[in-house]
Amino acid sequence: MRKAKWAAAAAGVVLLVAGCGGGGPDKGTGPSSGSSAPAGAGAEAEGGSLDAAAVTKEIGDAATAAGFTKKPSDAVPPVLASCMVDWAVDGEKATNAKKSYDDTVAALAKNGWKESQSFDQKGSVIKSLAKSGWTLKASHHGQGGFVTVMFIATDNSPACEKAFREDLEKNKNTQ
């Protein structure tokens, strides 16, 4: 089950990085042009660079300040750890998940994350934000008393795109 979950996540990330995430191109989701940075470096022309630890800290700081607690979850596979951050919210501990979600996204925007796409329909909100070669999908799904909030960030560098493709292929062969 866990391998299937990561294979699906990796497939989604590969499609996102390749610009096939649905609904047209997503600003900031393609590989950094001309970048030969190692996995996790994520440098972009707009300046600065982030690694997975810095992205985790930025998401964590914004989310906890907004009232969220991180939900324990499966760890990102070691081969993808420098390319992906998964910050799932413990919905049972959130007082007002929608307000905390909005506050988290606002705090990330104040910290330089630029919104490039937004989807809002029938209780689900998904926002794409980009910063320094990383794409962050912030999602809030809430219907019928069930609430799920997640922040998943991926490094768009060519090295990470390659790592996601290799992990996807490896998991296809083990299912």
PDB file of all heavy atoms in Angstrom, residues 81-113:
ATOM      1  N   ALA A  81      13.970  12.269  -0.565  1.00  0.00           N
ATOM      2  CA  ALA A  81      13.944  13.163   0.593  1.00  0.00           C
ATOM      3  C   ALA A  81      14.491  14.561   0.318  1.00  0.00           C
ATOM      4  O   ALA A  81      14.031  15.528   0.921  1.00  0.00           O
ATOM      5  CB  ALA A  81      14.698  12.531   1.760  1.00  0.00           C
ATOM      6  N   SER A  82      15.445  14.698  -0.587  1.00  0.00           N
ATOM      7  CA  SER A  82      15.980  16.028  -0.879  1.00  0.00           C
ATOM      8  C   SER A  82      15.149  16.751  -1.935  1.00  0.00           C
ATOM      9  O   SER A  82      15.397  17.917  -2.220  1.00  0.00           O
ATOM     10  CB  SER A  82      17.442  15.928  -1.338  1.00  0.00           C
ATOM     11  OG  SER A  82      17.518  15.250  -2.572  1.00  0.00           O
ATOM     12  N   CYS A  83      14.148  16.060  -2.495  1.00  0.00           N
ATOM     13  CA  CYS A  83      13.347  16.614  -3.585  1.00  0.00           C
ATOM     14  C   CYS A  83      11.886  16.866  -3.213  1.00  0.00           C
ATOM     15  O   CYS A  83      11.151  17.469  -3.997  1.00  0.00           O
ATOM     16  CB  CYS A  83      13.363  15.653  -4.777  1.00  0.00           C
ATOM     17  SG  CYS A  83      14.997  15.391  -5.485  1.00  0.00           S
ATOM     18  N   MET A  84      11.455  16.403  -2.057  1.00  0.00           N
ATOM     19  CA  MET A  84      10.025  16.459  -1.740  1.00  0.00           C
ATOM     20  C   MET A  84       9.809  16.679  -0.249  1.00  0.00           C
ATOM     21  O   MET A  84      10.518  16.123   0.581  1.00  0.00           O
ATOM     22  CB  MET A  84       9.374  15.141  -2.165  1.00  0.00           C
ATOM     23  CG  MET A  84       7.911  15.063  -1.932  1.00  0.00           C
ATOM     24  SD  MET A  84       7.310  13.485  -2.617  1.00  0.00           S
ATOM     25  CE  MET A  84       5.599  13.620  -2.209  1.00  0.00           C
ATOM     26  N   VAL A  85       8.810  17.493   0.062  1.00  0.00           N
ATOM     27  CA  VAL A  85       8.408  17.737   1.444  1.00  0.00           C
ATOM     28  C   VAL A  85       6.926  17.429   1.549  1.00  0.00           C
ATOM     29  O   VAL A  85       6.123  17.893   0.750  1.00  0.00           O
ATOM     30  CB  VAL A  85       8.662  19.213   1.852  1.00  0.00           C
ATOM     31  CG1 VAL A  85       8.061  19.518   3.208  1.00  0.00           C
ATOM     32  CG2 VAL A  85      10.146  19.518   1.825  1.00  0.00           C
ATOM     33  N   ASP A  86       6.557  16.621   2.541  1.00  0.00           N
ATOM     34  CA  ASP A  86       5.163  16.263   2.803  1.00  0.00           C
ATOM     35  C   ASP A  86       4.830  16.733   4.211  1.00  0.00           C
ATOM     36  O   ASP A  86       5.370  16.216   5.190  1.00  0.00           O
ATOM     37  CB  ASP A  86       5.003  14.739   2.678  1.00  0.00           C
ATOM     38  CG  ASP A  86       3.593  14.254   3.001  1.00  0.00           C
ATOM     39  OD1 ASP A  86       2.685  15.070   3.178  1.00  0.00           O
ATOM     40  OD2 ASP A  86       3.421  13.021   3.071  1.00  0.00           O
ATOM     41  N   TRP A  87       3.970  17.746   4.312  1.00  0.00           N
ATOM     42  CA  TRP A  87       3.575  18.285   5.606  1.00  0.00           C
ATOM     43  C   TRP A  87       2.060  18.122   5.710  1.00  0.00           C
ATOM     44  O   TRP A  87       1.289  18.966   5.236  1.00  0.00           O
ATOM     45  CB  TRP A  87       3.961  19.768   5.706  1.00  0.00           C
ATOM     46  CG  TRP A  87       4.268  20.239   7.102  1.00  0.00           C
ATOM     47  CD1 TRP A  87       5.499  20.363   7.658  1.00  0.00           C
ATOM     48  CD2 TRP A  87       3.339  20.657   8.111  1.00  0.00           C
ATOM     49  NE1 TRP A  87       5.393  20.833   8.946  1.00  0.00           N
ATOM     50  CE2 TRP A  87       4.082  21.020   9.248  1.00  0.00           C
ATOM     51  CE3 TRP A  87       1.952  20.757   8.171  1.00  0.00           C
ATOM     52  CZ2 TRP A  87       3.494  21.480  10.428  1.00  0.00           C
ATOM     53  CZ3 TRP A  87       1.353  21.201   9.332  1.00  0.00           C
ATOM     54  CH2 TRP A  87       2.117  21.567  10.453  1.00  0.00           C
ATOM     55  N   ALA A  88       1.621  17.006   6.298  1.00  0.00           N
ATOM     56  CA  ALA A  88       0.195  16.716   6.458  1.00  0.00           C
ATOM     57  C   ALA A  88      -0.273  17.256   7.806  1.00  0.00           C
ATOM     58  O   ALA A  88       0.438  17.185   8.799  1.00  0.00           O
ATOM     59  CB  ALA A  88      -0.054  15.215   6.377  1.00  0.00           C
ATOM     60  N   VAL A  89      -1.485  17.763   7.824  1.00  0.00           N
ATOM     61  CA  VAL A  89      -2.058  18.369   9.019  1.00  0.00           C
ATOM     62  C   VAL A  89      -2.859  17.339   9.805  1.00  0.00           C
ATOM     63  O   VAL A  89      -3.591  16.534   9.233  1.00  0.00           O
ATOM     64  CB  VAL A  89      -2.974  19.554   8.613  1.00  0.00           C
ATOM     65  CG1 VAL A  89      -3.791  20.059   9.782  1.00  0.00           C
ATOM     66  CG2 VAL A  89      -2.135  20.671   8.015  1.00  0.00           C
ATOM     67  N   ASP A  90      -2.725  17.390  11.111  1.00  0.00           N
ATOM     68  CA  ASP A  90      -3.557  16.568  11.987  1.00  0.00           C
ATOM     69  C   ASP A  90      -4.892  17.294  12.134  1.00  0.00           C
ATOM     70  O   ASP A  90      -5.035  18.205  12.959  1.00  0.00           O
ATOM     71  CB  ASP A  90      -2.878  16.379  13.345  1.00  0.00           C
ATOM     72  CG  ASP A  90      -3.609  15.396  14.239  1.00  0.00           C
ATOM     73  OD1 ASP A  90      -4.805  15.118  13.983  1.00  0.00           O
ATOM     74  OD2 ASP A  90      -2.983  14.893  15.190  1.00  0.00           O
ATOM     75  N   GLY A  91      -5.864  16.912  11.297  1.00  0.00           N
ATOM     76  CA  GLY A  91      -7.159  17.585  11.249  1.00  0.00           C
ATOM     77  C   GLY A  91      -7.941  17.518  12.545  1.00  0.00           C
ATOM     78  O   GLY A  91      -8.750  18.398  12.843  1.00  0.00           O
ATOM     79  N   GLU A  92      -7.705  16.479  13.335  1.00  0.00           N
ATOM     80  CA  GLU A  92      -8.437  16.327  14.594  1.00  0.00           C
ATOM     81  C   GLU A  92      -8.035  17.388  15.615  1.00  0.00           C
ATOM     82  O   GLU A  92      -8.785  17.673  16.538  1.00  0.00           O
ATOM     83  CB  GLU A  92      -8.208  14.930  15.163  1.00  0.00           C
ATOM     84  CG  GLU A  92      -8.811  13.837  14.292  1.00  0.00           C
ATOM     85  CD  GLU A  92      -8.523  12.442  14.822  1.00  0.00           C
ATOM     86  OE1 GLU A  92      -8.032  12.309  15.957  1.00  0.00           O
ATOM     87  OE2 GLU A  92      -8.809  11.492  14.078  1.00  0.00           O
ATOM     88  N   LYS A  93      -6.855  17.968  15.453  1.00  0.00           N
ATOM     89  CA  LYS A  93      -6.376  18.975  16.396  1.00  0.00           C
ATOM     90  C   LYS A  93      -6.592  20.401  15.917  1.00  0.00           C
ATOM     91  O   LYS A  93      -6.287  21.342  16.631  1.00  0.00           O
ATOM     92  CB  LYS A  93      -4.897  18.742  16.691  1.00  0.00           C
ATOM     93  CG  LYS A  93      -4.641  17.424  17.399  1.00  0.00           C
ATOM     94  CD  LYS A  93      -3.188  17.252  17.716  1.00  0.00           C
ATOM     95  CE  LYS A  93      -2.961  15.909  18.403  1.00  0.00           C
ATOM     96  NZ  LYS A  93      -1.551  15.669  18.649  1.00  0.00           N
ATOM     97  N   ALA A  94      -7.133  20.570  14.714  1.00  0.00           N
ATOM     98  CA  ALA A  94      -7.349  21.915  14.158  1.00  0.00           C
ATOM     99  C   ALA A  94      -8.716  22.441  14.598  1.00  0.00           C
ATOM    100  O   ALA A  94      -9.727  21.771  14.420  1.00  0.00           O
ATOM    101  CB  ALA A  94      -7.273  21.882  12.646  1.00  0.00           C
ATOM    102  N   THR A  95      -8.730  23.636  15.154  1.00  0.00           N
ATOM    103  CA  THR A  95      -9.982  24.235  15.599  1.00  0.00           C
ATOM    104  C   THR A  95     -10.829  24.663  14.413  1.00  0.00           C
ATOM    105  O   THR A  95     -11.996  24.326  14.323  1.00  0.00           O
ATOM    106  CB  THR A  95      -9.696  25.459  16.505  1.00  0.00           C
ATOM    107  OG1 THR A  95      -8.818  25.048  17.545  1.00  0.00           O
ATOM    108  CG2 THR A  95     -10.969  26.008  17.086  1.00  0.00           C
ATOM    109  N   ASN A  96     -10.254  25.430  13.499  1.00  0.00           N
ATOM    110  CA  ASN A  96     -10.949  25.885  12.297  1.00  0.00           C
ATOM    111  C   ASN A  96      -9.990  25.668  11.119  1.00  0.00           C
ATOM    112  O   ASN A  96      -9.205  26.545  10.777  1.00  0.00           O
ATOM    113  CB  ASN A  96     -11.345  27.358  12.418  1.00  0.00           C
ATOM    114  CG  ASN A  96     -12.125  27.856  11.223  1.00  0.00           C
ATOM    115  OD1 ASN A  96     -12.073  27.280  10.136  1.00  0.00           O
ATOM    116  ND2 ASN A  96     -12.826  28.955  11.409  1.00  0.00           N
ATOM    117  N   ALA A  97     -10.081  24.474  10.540  1.00  0.00           N
ATOM    118  CA  ALA A  97      -9.113  24.074   9.516  1.00  0.00           C
ATOM    119  C   ALA A  97      -9.107  25.009   8.313  1.00  0.00           C
ATOM    120  O   ALA A  97      -8.042  25.306   7.771  1.00  0.00           O
ATOM    121  CB  ALA A  97      -9.377  22.643   9.068  1.00  0.00           C
ATOM    122  N   LYS A  98     -10.248  25.487   7.872  1.00  0.00           N
ATOM    123  CA  LYS A  98     -10.295  26.355   6.692  1.00  0.00           C
ATOM    124  C   LYS A  98      -9.601  27.687   6.978  1.00  0.00           C
ATOM    125  O   LYS A  98      -8.815  28.179   6.167  1.00  0.00           O
ATOM    126  CB  LYS A  98     -11.745  26.576   6.241  1.00  0.00           C
ATOM    127  CG  LYS A  98     -11.872  27.457   5.002  1.00  0.00           C
ATOM    128  CD  LYS A  98     -11.197  26.835   3.773  1.00  0.00           C
ATOM    129  CE  LYS A  98     -11.490  27.590   2.512  1.00  0.00           C
ATOM    130  NZ  LYS A  98     -10.419  28.387   2.002  1.00  0.00           N
ATOM    131  N   LYS A  99      -9.866  28.270   8.140  1.00  0.00           N
ATOM    132  CA  LYS A  99      -9.220  29.535   8.497  1.00  0.00           C
ATOM    133  C   LYS A  99      -7.708  29.328   8.650  1.00  0.00           C
ATOM    134  O   LYS A  99      -6.910  30.127   8.157  1.00  0.00           O
ATOM    135  CB  LYS A  99      -9.792  30.115   9.786  1.00  0.00           C
ATOM    136  CG  LYS A  99      -9.148  31.450  10.167  1.00  0.00           C
ATOM    137  CD  LYS A  99      -9.677  31.983  11.476  1.00  0.00           C
ATOM    138  CE  LYS A  99      -9.071  33.307  11.878  1.00  0.00           C
ATOM    139  NZ  LYS A  99      -7.673  33.536  11.587  1.00  0.00           N
ATOM    140  N   SER A 100      -7.314  28.236   9.297  1.00  0.00           N
ATOM    141  CA  SER A 100      -5.886  27.955   9.469  1.00  0.00           C
ATOM    142  C   SER A 100      -5.212  27.719   8.126  1.00  0.00           C
ATOM    143  O   SER A 100      -4.076  28.149   7.907  1.00  0.00           O
ATOM    144  CB  SER A 100      -5.693  26.737  10.380  1.00  0.00           C
ATOM    145  OG  SER A 100      -6.096  27.047  11.693  1.00  0.00           O
ATOM    146  N   TYR A 101      -5.912  27.054   7.197  1.00  0.00           N
ATOM    147  CA  TYR A 101      -5.380  26.841   5.850  1.00  0.00           C
ATOM    148  C   TYR A 101      -5.156  28.192   5.163  1.00  0.00           C
ATOM    149  O   TYR A 101      -4.073  28.455   4.631  1.00  0.00           O
ATOM    150  CB  TYR A 101      -6.347  25.975   5.037  1.00  0.00           C
ATOM    151  CG  TYR A 101      -6.035  25.923   3.561  1.00  0.00           C
ATOM    152  CD1 TYR A 101      -5.066  25.053   3.071  1.00  0.00           C
ATOM    153  CD2 TYR A 101      -6.712  26.733   2.657  1.00  0.00           C
ATOM    154  CE1 TYR A 101      -4.774  24.993   1.711  1.00  0.00           C
ATOM    155  CE2 TYR A 101      -6.424  26.681   1.300  1.00  0.00           C
ATOM    156  CZ  TYR A 101      -5.455  25.816   0.831  1.00  0.00           C
ATOM    157  OH  TYR A 101      -5.171  25.774  -0.503  1.00  0.00           O
ATOM    158  N   ASP A 102      -6.182  29.044   5.186  1.00  0.00           N
ATOM    159  CA  ASP A 102      -6.071  30.365   4.562  1.00  0.00           C
ATOM    160  C   ASP A 102      -4.934  31.174   5.193  1.00  0.00           C
ATOM    161  O   ASP A 102      -4.166  31.834   4.484  1.00  0.00           O
ATOM    162  CB  ASP A 102      -7.391  31.133   4.672  1.00  0.00           C
ATOM    163  CG  ASP A 102      -8.497  30.548   3.816  1.00  0.00           C
ATOM    164  OD1 ASP A 102      -8.201  29.810   2.844  1.00  0.00           O
ATOM    165  OD2 ASP A 102      -9.685  30.813   4.124  1.00  0.00           O
ATOM    166  N   ASP A 103      -4.820  31.111   6.527  1.00  0.00           N
ATOM    167  CA  ASP A 103      -3.757  31.840   7.218  1.00  0.00           C
ATOM    168  C   ASP A 103      -2.372  31.299   6.856  1.00  0.00           C
ATOM    169  O   ASP A 103      -1.409  32.056   6.712  1.00  0.00           O
ATOM    170  CB  ASP A 103      -3.964  31.777   8.738  1.00  0.00           C
ATOM    171  CG  ASP A 103      -5.167  32.591   9.207  1.00  0.00           C
ATOM    172  OD1 ASP A 103      -5.736  33.374   8.412  1.00  0.00           O
ATOM    173  OD2 ASP A 103      -5.546  32.418  10.388  1.00  0.00           O
ATOM    174  N   THR A 104      -2.259  29.976   6.702  1.00  0.00           N
ATOM    175  CA  THR A 104      -0.979  29.373   6.320  1.00  0.00           C
ATOM    176  C   THR A 104      -0.568  29.829   4.929  1.00  0.00           C
ATOM    177  O   THR A 104       0.582  30.241   4.709  1.00  0.00           O
ATOM    178  CB  THR A 104      -1.063  27.831   6.368  1.00  0.00           C
ATOM    179  OG1 THR A 104      -1.417  27.425   7.698  1.00  0.00           O
ATOM    180  CG2 THR A 104       0.259  27.199   5.976  1.00  0.00           C
ATOM    181  N   VAL A 105      -1.506  29.776   3.982  1.00  0.00           N
ATOM    182  CA  VAL A 105      -1.202  30.202   2.605  1.00  0.00           C
ATOM    183  C   VAL A 105      -0.820  31.684   2.588  1.00  0.00           C
ATOM    184  O   VAL A 105       0.133  32.076   1.907  1.00  0.00           O
ATOM    185  CB  VAL A 105      -2.392  29.900   1.661  1.00  0.00           C
ATOM    186  CG1 VAL A 105      -2.182  30.531   0.294  1.00  0.00           C
ATOM    187  CG2 VAL A 105      -2.596  28.386   1.527  1.00  0.00           C
ATOM    188  N   ALA A 106      -1.521  32.501   3.358  1.00  0.00           N
ATOM    189  CA  ALA A 106      -1.201  33.937   3.427  1.00  0.00           C
ATOM    190  C   ALA A 106       0.203  34.157   4.001  1.00  0.00           C
ATOM    191  O   ALA A 106       0.967  34.990   3.498  1.00  0.00           O
ATOM    192  CB  ALA A 106      -2.243  34.678   4.264  1.00  0.00           C
ATOM    193  N   ALA A 107       0.561  33.403   5.035  1.00  0.00           N
ATOM    194  CA  ALA A 107       1.890  33.535   5.637  1.00  0.00           C
ATOM    195  C   ALA A 107       2.972  33.099   4.649  1.00  0.00           C
ATOM    196  O   ALA A 107       4.029  33.734   4.555  1.00  0.00           O
ATOM    197  CB  ALA A 107       1.976  32.706   6.918  1.00  0.00           C
ATOM    198  N   LEU A 108       2.716  32.029   3.904  1.00  0.00           N
ATOM    199  CA  LEU A 108       3.683  31.591   2.896  1.00  0.00           C
ATOM    200  C   LEU A 108       3.847  32.662   1.817  1.00  0.00           C
ATOM    201  O   LEU A 108       4.971  32.939   1.382  1.00  0.00           O
ATOM    202  CB  LEU A 108       3.248  30.259   2.279  1.00  0.00           C
ATOM    203  CG  LEU A 108       3.367  29.046   3.216  1.00  0.00           C
ATOM    204  CD1 LEU A 108       2.593  27.854   2.655  1.00  0.00           C
ATOM    205  CD2 LEU A 108       4.821  28.682   3.453  1.00  0.00           C
ATOM    206  N   ALA A 109       2.746  33.279   1.410  1.00  0.00           N
ATOM    207  CA  ALA A 109       2.813  34.352   0.406  1.00  0.00           C
ATOM    208  C   ALA A 109       3.644  35.528   0.932  1.00  0.00           C
ATOM    209  O   ALA A 109       4.453  36.101   0.190  1.00  0.00           O
ATOM    210  CB  ALA A 109       1.413  34.808   0.020  1.00  0.00           C
ATOM    211  N   LYS A 110       3.481  35.865   2.193  1.00  0.00           N
ATOM    212  CA  LYS A 110       4.274  36.948   2.785  1.00  0.00           C
ATOM    213  C   LYS A 110       5.756  36.583   2.831  1.00  0.00           C
ATOM    214  O   LYS A 110       6.609  37.464   2.862  1.00  0.00           O
ATOM    215  CB  LYS A 110       3.780  37.275   4.199  1.00  0.00           C
ATOM    216  CG  LYS A 110       2.483  38.035   4.219  1.00  0.00           C
ATOM    217  CD  LYS A 110       2.057  38.344   5.635  1.00  0.00           C
ATOM    218  CE  LYS A 110       0.687  39.009   5.640  1.00  0.00           C
ATOM    219  NZ  LYS A 110       0.179  39.203   6.998  1.00  0.00           N
ATOM    220  N   ASN A 111       6.043  35.280   2.834  1.00  0.00           N
ATOM    221  CA  ASN A 111       7.419  34.812   2.889  1.00  0.00           C
ATOM    222  C   ASN A 111       8.004  34.560   1.492  1.00  0.00           C
ATOM    223  O   ASN A 111       9.034  33.923   1.345  1.00  0.00           O
ATOM    224  CB  ASN A 111       7.505  33.542   3.737  1.00  0.00           C
ATOM    225  CG  ASN A 111       8.911  33.248   4.203  1.00  0.00           C
ATOM    226  OD1 ASN A 111       9.754  34.130   4.324  1.00  0.00           O
ATOM    227  ND2 ASN A 111       9.183  31.984   4.449  1.00  0.00           N
ATOM    228  N   GLY A 112       7.323  35.049   0.448  1.00  0.00           N
ATOM    229  CA  GLY A 112       7.883  34.987  -0.895  1.00  0.00           C
ATOM    230  C   GLY A 112       7.333  33.905  -1.807  1.00  0.00           C
ATOM    231  O   GLY A 112       7.726  33.817  -2.964  1.00  0.00           O
ATOM    232  N   TRP A 113       6.419  33.070  -1.316  1.00  0.00           N
ATOM    233  CA  TRP A 113       5.808  32.060  -2.171  1.00  0.00           C
ATOM    234  C   TRP A 113       4.771  32.755  -3.043  1.00  0.00           C
ATOM    235  O   TRP A 113       3.904  33.449  -2.547  1.00  0.00           O
ATOM    236  CB  TRP A 113       5.164  30.951  -1.332  1.00  0.00           C
ATOM    237  CG  TRP A 113       6.168  30.065  -0.664  1.00  0.00           C
ATOM    238  CD1 TRP A 113       6.765  30.285   0.543  1.00  0.00           C
ATOM    239  CD2 TRP A 113       6.698  28.846  -1.162  1.00  0.00           C
ATOM    240  NE1 TRP A 113       7.645  29.273   0.814  1.00  0.00           N
ATOM    241  CE2 TRP A 113       7.614  28.367  -0.214  1.00  0.00           C
ATOM    242  CE3 TRP A 113       6.490  28.112  -2.330  1.00  0.00           C
ATOM    243  CZ2 TRP A 113       8.324  27.173  -0.391  1.00  0.00           C
ATOM    244  CZ3 TRP A 113       7.190  26.927  -2.500  1.00  0.00           C
ATOM    245  CH2 TRP A 113       8.088  26.471  -1.547  1.00  0.00           C
TER     246      TRP A 113
END
